[in-house]
Amino acid sequence: MFRRTFWFTAGAAAGVWATTKVNRKIQQLTPESLAAQAANKAVEAGHRLKDFALDVRAGMVQREAELGEVLGLDAPPPADPGLPEPRSRAALGPTPHKTTTTHSSRTISYNRNEDH
């Protein structure tokens, strides 16, 4: 009699445990739950990406400061009277000309520099 009671109780407990496990797994696989899990992972990945970008940016600023210090780029450039003034836009050459061609009731704008 004691054996039957033991095995009946053990079977009932195993059934309750298995039912609970199956119900939890079914809840995890519902579309709403899957969408929430995906959204949480996306937000988490976004935070990691933002942290990575901030770390890279901080490293860039630090490295630029180190290079500027080593190369002496932080100091203002010395005034050398022998250097010419920077070129103006007009000194670099004329602006490209646009040619307008009319072909049988329509006008086509053509810029020769676009082909190069």
Side-chain angles (χ1 to χ4, degrees), residues 28-82:
Q28 288 178 352
L29 296 176
T30 61
E32 295 84 17
S33 178
L34 291 175
Q37 289 175 9
N40 288 339
K41 293 214 184 246
V43 168
E44 187 178 316
H47 289 306
R48 285 188 198 152
L49 187 61
K50 179 182 174 187
D51 291 341
F52 175 71
L54 291 174
D55 288 345
V56 168
R57 181 71 181 148
M60 284 173 43
V61 168
Q62 180 183 359
R63 184 64 178 149
E64 285 178 4
E66 291 171 1
L67 289 173
E69 211 175 281
V70 170
L71 298 174
L73 297 178
D74 292 336
D80 188 0

Side-chain angles (χ1 to χ4, degrees), residues 3-115:
R3 278 181 153 188
R4 287 185 186 174
T5 305
F6 172 76
W7 288 112
F8 176 77
T9 306
V16 168
W17 176 79
T19 304
T20 304
K21 282 286 231 188
V22 168
N23 284 337
R24 283 185 189 162
K25 189 53 93 173
I26 288 173
Q27 283 288 18
Q28 288 178 352
L29 296 176
T30 61
E32 295 84 17
S33 178
L34 291 175
Q37 289 175 9
N40 288 339
K41 293 214 184 246
V43 168
E44 187 178 316
H47 289 306
R48 285 188 198 152
L49 187 61
K50 179 182 174 187
D51 291 341
F52 175 71
L54 291 174
D55 288 345
V56 168
R57 181 71 181 148
M60 284 173 43
V61 168
Q62 180 183 359
R63 184 64 178 149
E64 285 178 4
E66 291 171 1
L67 289 173
E69 211 175 281
V70 170
L71 298 174
L73 297 178
D74 292 336
D80 188 0
L83 294 177
E85 291 293 318
R87 289 184 173 181
S88 66
R89 176 75 180 139
L92 296 176
T95 57
H97 293 48
K98 286 196 171 190
T99 306
T100 305
T101 308
T102 305
H103 291 287
S104 64
S105 77
R106 66 177 191 183
T107 304
I108 300 172
S109 178
Y110 179 72
N111 184 351
R112 290 184 6 201
N113 291 333
E114 289 178 356
D115 292 339

